[in-house]
Amino acid sequence: MVERSHKPGPISATTASSLPQAQVNVSDDNSKVTATIPSGDTVEVLLYGATIISWKSNGTENFWVSDAAKLDGSKPVRGGVPVVFPVFGPPPKNHATSSLPQHGFARNSRWEYLGKSTSESASDDSVKMDFGLYSAGLSEEAKKAWPYDFGLVYSVTLTKGELSTILTVRNEGKEGFDFNVLLHTYLRIKDISTTTISGLLGTSYVDKVLDARESTESNSDLRITGETDRVYKSLAQDTTTVVENGSPRFDVVRKNFRDTVIWNPWTEKAKGMGDFEPKTGWREMLCVEVGSVAEWVRVEEGESWEAGQTIKSLV
Ligand SMILES: O=P(O)(O)OC[C@H]1O[C@H](O)[C@H](O)[C@@H](O)[C@@H]1O
């Protein structure tokens, strides 16, 4: 921003060219990577879990992070975008993932920052940052619980008004493995009572609040009115839209992910989570979690698989 102490006159060519040019700026303090693009949009990615803990566009924070979230690597972050891999939810019995914690190890492992690349366009510059997690970098406990050779690369691209993330899963071992993957996005909203979700109509879902009952969504504009934990399966539409007071607030666009989980803990569940603050925070958050979780994804020796999402902030 240029401060003026006198009435501005026309800007001469010399003055204009001597104004500082906004640039893409990326900094890495060994625990967090922060990027800013010329529009002023910013993103912060914690190396712990490669968890995106802030994304601001047009001066507005788009993600909800609990005031009591642990950002010191002692616990997965309650908020932002934790990466769920290689199992979603509590692991099933008698499965290769059975000894893992809920939602796997990606969200509580330290990832490596692999570097950035920038691209310039007429409308705005963008920046892509890559993060990696490999079997060799896991804790001994996680390696023992899931002894496969793999490489994950998570690319986070910030463009004006949009955040895109792509996860690539590579099998670097001699045997195939099955996995779930999900981007557990906590969107910040103004008020859950005036928020609706569209793009789910006609999709079958498993209701985890109602003992995994199977239903089909009959609402074109879904309203959340109590604890909600649903796995919408094999969505036909790529885009799920979060609408505030009748105006679109976020488009969440899936790329090669089949499913979407809608989660809001509501009053009692929020009270039961030690790292969920303020306790009324459920009013201002909504998880729209794209992933492939209803069925296992399999990658054989030497194969890789990728999927991702683009979130558009529409204000
Ligand atoms: O408490 P966490 O392990 O972070 O899980 C938080 C939530 O994640 C997903 O949304 C699941 O569908 C929920 O069942 C779970 O409660």
Side-chain angles (χ1 to χ4, degrees):
M1 185 162 165
V2 182
E3 289 186 39
R4 296 176 196 278
S5 55
H6 55 86
K7 199 170 164 233
I11 299 176
S12 69
T14 335
T15 317
S17 64
S18 63
L19 289 175
Q21 295 294 304
Q23 282 175 340
V24 171
N25 187 12
V26 179
S27 65
D28 166 18
D29 70 2
N30 202 33
S31 80
K32 189 173 77 176
V33 177
T34 305
T36 309
I37 55 174
S39 61
D41 291 12
T42 59
V43 67
E44 291 178 26
V45 187
L46 208 60
L47 294 181
Y48 179 69
T51 315
I52 304 172
I53 52 167
S54 169
W55 166 40
K56 290 188 189 135
S57 59
N58 207 8
T60 302
E61 175 61 61
N62 294 305
F63 291 149
W64 184 87
V65 176
S66 162
D67 290 350
K70 298 278 183 224
L71 303 179
D72 61 357
S74 58
K75 196 179 187 318
V77 178
R78 176 70 61 206
V81 190
V83 177
V84 169
F85 175 90
V87 66
F88 169 69
K93 290 203 172 71
N94 304 317
H95 187 264
T97 58
S98 293
S99 308
L100 290 172
Q102 155 132 325
H103 294 341
F105 51 70
R107 65 176 182 164
N108 50 12
S109 297
R110 189 183 152 98
W111 293 54
E112 244 177 82
Y113 174 46
L114 304 174
K116 63 159 197 239
S117 51
T118 53
S119 99
E120 289 169 26
S121 75
S123 53
D124 197 18
D125 298 342
S126 70
V127 61
K128 172 163 95 71
M129 290 150 290
D130 291 331
F131 301 86
L133 179 68
Y134 310 95
S135 26
L138 290 186
S139 67
E140 288 309 314
E141 201 188 349
K143 263 189 233 169
K144 222 171 112 196
W146 203 71
Y148 296 96
D149 281 333
F150 70 91
L152 299 181
V153 174
Y154 187 48
S155 302
V156 175
T157 304
L158 178 67
T159 314
K160 187 177 179 184
E162 284 188 20
L163 189 69
S164 294
T165 55
I166 302 274
L167 186 74
T168 306
V169 180
R170 271 199 326 260
N171 184 340
E172 295 176 347
K174 295 263 173 267
E175 53 178 330
F177 58 76
D178 292 326
F179 61 93
N180 294 151
V181 58
L182 170 129
L183 304 175
H184 199 307
T185 307
Y186 290 72
L187 297 173
R188 172 171 281 282
I189 53 169
K190 285 206 181 86
D191 183 353
I192 193 80
S193 71
T194 52
T195 300
T196 55
I197 307 160
S198 65
L200 303 170
L201 181 67
T203 308
S204 55
Y205 65 91
V206 175
D207 196 327
K208 291 167 76 177
V209 175
L210 298 178
D211 290 331
R213 196 178 76 184
E214 295 252 0
S215 304
T216 300
E217 185 55 68
S218 57
N219 295 294
S220 55
D221 303 294
L222 175 69
R223 200 171 279 280
I224 306 294
T225 55
E227 185 191 345
T228 303
D229 191 357
R230 298 177 177 182
V231 181
Y232 286 86
K233 301 189 292 182
S234 301
L235 282 88
Q237 279 180 244
D238 291 342
T239 303
T240 304
T241 303
V242 174
V243 177
E244 278 185 347
N245 273 318
S247 304
R249 171 67 183 90
F250 296 106
D251 273 345
V252 179
V253 186
R254 284 175 300 108
K255 290 179 187 155
N256 202 32
F257 276 131
R258 295 168 62 95
D259 312 315
T260 294
V261 175
I262 302 289
W263 183 62
N264 184 293
W266 215 251
T267 47
E268 294 309 306
K269 263 270 163 65
K271 273 188 210 154
M273 287 185 276
D275 61 351
F276 194 101
E277 289 289 349
K279 289 300 173 206
T280 52
W282 55 270
R283 293 178 200 272
E284 287 159 10
M285 50 110 359
L286 174 67
C287 284
V288 177
E289 313 162 21
V290 301
S292 283
V293 295
E295 286 171 18
W296 297 103
V297 181
R298 186 167 182 85
V299 281
E300 301 295 346
E301 175 184 356
E303 281 182 1
S304 52
W305 176 94
E306 68 173 41
Q309 70 175 350
T310 296
I311 309 177
K312 298 179 188 173
S313 174
L314 305 171
V315 291

